[in-house]
Amino acid sequence: MDLLDSVKQAGIVGAGGAGFPTHVKLAAQAEYILLNGAECEPLLRVDQQIMDVHADEIIQGFAAAGRQVGAKKALLCIKYKHKKVIARLQARIDALSMGDYVEIRELPDVYPAGDEQIMVYEVLGRTVPEGGIPLNVGCVVTNSETAMNIHRAAKGEAVTETWLTLAGDIPNRMTLKVPVGTPVREVLALTGVDNLDDYRVIDGGPMMGPVMDNIDGHVTKVSKGYILLKKDHSLIRKKTVTPEQAKRLNKATCEQCRMCTDLCPRFLIGHGMEPHKMMRVLNYGMDVEEAGITAQLCCSCNLCELFSCPAGLHPRMANEWLKGKLAEKNIRYTSTKESYSGRANRDYRQVPSKRLIARLGLTRFDQDAPITDQTLEPAEVRIATRQHVGAPCVPAVSAGDRVEKGQIIGNIPEGSLGAPIHASISGRVTGVENDYIAIRKD
């Protein structure tokens, strides 16, 4: 079995984002492959730590992925502030005799350095076209945990676990590995918070992660962490504003200062994303199809909403509303630009991570979340049939079947985009539903 088939069989998806199936990404040909080790979301600590602890696996998996796509160079991208990890990675690259192929590229400590289009621009000076992907400029981007999973897939190991950071206003901050399908409540119990009634939980990073309405869910392959904050924290209040409340605030207060646009990361690399104009479209009832079409260029990094706007308004929500209206009409933005260049003042308008953390009110929680060998052994897991971009998996097991850890329990539908799912524990299948497969430990 070649690497592409191994990656497909292992069910690997992008561990740091939406969960795009990795076997599809690696079927392309590219000039460069980039490893996204930026981990730009505040408080999350997975990538920076597993690159230290599992350096060899990540380097080898990354190099194998690069050769699979025909890349002439594999560029391992990490923020310059992680000096210890950079030294460790360079030492292991040299020890593995990969220095002629794998190179470390240091990134500034800004948000959102981990946006793959921002990273491509930062490292190679290439602007991904509006509405495009890195492959359009000769690049494939993967992340550190995905690279480690690629290395393990070559040895026949499926994706059955994921790495998480627990952070925020909690006694026990940590980074650990848990089985896919673990109940979120069991993970949160490790934080040392006895009563969760006074808290809200952010699923992922504080910028892009949603506040969970229900913590009775289960960990997926793309889960990267949980941040717990008191209900009255300013970030929780801001992130739980409803779309209708946001629309009223936007219409009543926006003065078109254009700070949201001046600091927009996509605008600064040459895209036509101008959030202040999207606020204008929404507030004044302008034609969505004509004036609001560029809302589809928004990457939802949330910088405009949680940092840039001096009035604390909701430009991202305006973009999301417009995206929804355009989707209802099945309208897609088509770029007419033939070339792109970054804005002349981009270097002076990037947002340092420390300033962002302070603006979010998270400075006192910006502490280490050390990696731990502590393990969770849930009595039952519920593995989602759809935890990736594409179609949900078709169950390959029935209630009552006995399964072993690593066994395929759901397959990609014929002719569809997707990735198979595997049992994350050994036990008996207790339920097969449209959206999950439940397994109880022996």
Side-chain angles (χ1 to χ4, degrees), residues 258-302:
R258 69 167 287 138
M259 283 293 290
C260 52
T261 293
D262 287 343
L263 296 180
C264 173
R266 294 292 177 91
F267 173 78
L268 291 173
I269 63 170
H271 286 191
M273 177 70 259
E274 297 180 90
H276 78 284
K277 290 185 178 179
M278 300 305 100
M279 294 282 274
R280 191 186 304 169
V281 173
L282 180 62
N283 293 349
Y284 296 100
M286 298 169 69
D287 184 78
V288 172
E289 296 180 32
E290 182 178 349
I293 187 70
T294 54
Q296 293 183 333
L297 301 179
C298 174
C299 65
S300 299
C301 73
N302 229 350

Side-chain angles (χ1 to χ4, degrees), residues 367-378:
Q367 302 178 31
D368 290 342
I371 202 163
T372 175
D373 291 332
Q374 186 170 353
T375 58
L376 269 178
E377 297 183 359

Side-chain angles (χ1 to χ4, degrees), residues 4 6 81 88 104 144 147 171-172 176 184 215 267 314 324 341 353 385 388 395 400 407 415:
L4 208 58
S6 297
K81 67 178 181 180
R88 163 77 170 158
I104 295 175
S144 53
N172 304 328
L176 75 163
V184 171
I215 59 171
F267 173 78
H314 302 270
S341 59
S353 296
T385 55
H388 49 259
Q407 177 181 332

Side-chain angles (χ1 to χ4, degrees), residues 237-353:
R237 294 202 306 269
K238 186 70 180 284
K239 291 176 77 73
T240 51
V241 167
T242 67
E244 285 305 312
Q245 289 172 327
K247 284 172 67 176
R248 289 198 298 270
L249 285 168
N250 289 350
K251 190 168 185 177
T253 313
C254 181
E255 59 186 14
Q256 289 289 290
C257 73
R258 69 167 287 138
M259 283 293 290
C260 52
T261 293
D262 287 343
L263 296 180
C264 173
R266 294 292 177 91
F267 173 78
L268 291 173
I269 63 170
H271 286 191
M273 177 70 259
E274 297 180 90
H276 78 284
K277 290 185 178 179
M278 300 305 100
M279 294 282 274
R280 191 186 304 169
V281 173
L282 180 62
N283 293 349
Y284 296 100
M286 298 169 69
D287 184 78
V288 172
E289 296 180 32
E290 182 178 349
I293 187 70
T294 54
Q296 293 183 333
L297 301 179
C298 174
C299 65
S300 299
C301 73
N302 229 350
L303 198 63
C304 58
E305 194 156 306
L306 297 179
F307 183 88
S308 306
C309 181
L313 302 183
H314 302 270
R316 183 196 60 83
M317 283 196 179
N319 289 335
E320 294 298 328
W321 185 85
L322 292 168
K323 285 181 183 179
K325 291 298 180 183
L326 292 164
E328 288 174 6
K329 298 181 179 183
N330 198 28
I331 296 171
R332 296 284 298 172
Y333 176 81
T334 302
S335 178
T336 57
K337 290 185 179 181
E338 294 184 359
S339 63
Y340 298 83
S341 59
R343 311 287 173 178
N345 51 12
R346 177 178 181 271
D347 289 346
Y348 310 103
R349 291 185 174 171
Q350 298 192 74
V351 177
S353 296

Side-chain angles (χ1 to χ4, degrees), residues 87-149:
R88 163 77 170 158
L89 288 168
Q90 189 60 62
R92 295 315 304 159
I93 290 170
D94 294 341
L96 293 166
S97 300
M98 291 188 178
D100 60 336
Y101 187 60
V102 180
E103 293 182 7
I104 295 175
R105 295 292 176 90
E106 297 185 15
L107 301 169
D109 186 17
V110 298
Y111 180 85
D115 177 297
E116 63 179 14
Q117 295 195 19
I118 303 304
M119 179 172 294
V120 168
Y121 184 88
E122 196 69 47
V123 172
L124 296 170
R126 300 177 180 181
T127 297
V128 176
E130 295 172 333
I133 59 175
L135 192 61
N136 297 139
V137 291
C139 302
V140 164
V141 181
T142 186
N143 92 324
S144 53
E145 187 174 347
T146 304
M148 181 167 64
N149 288 337

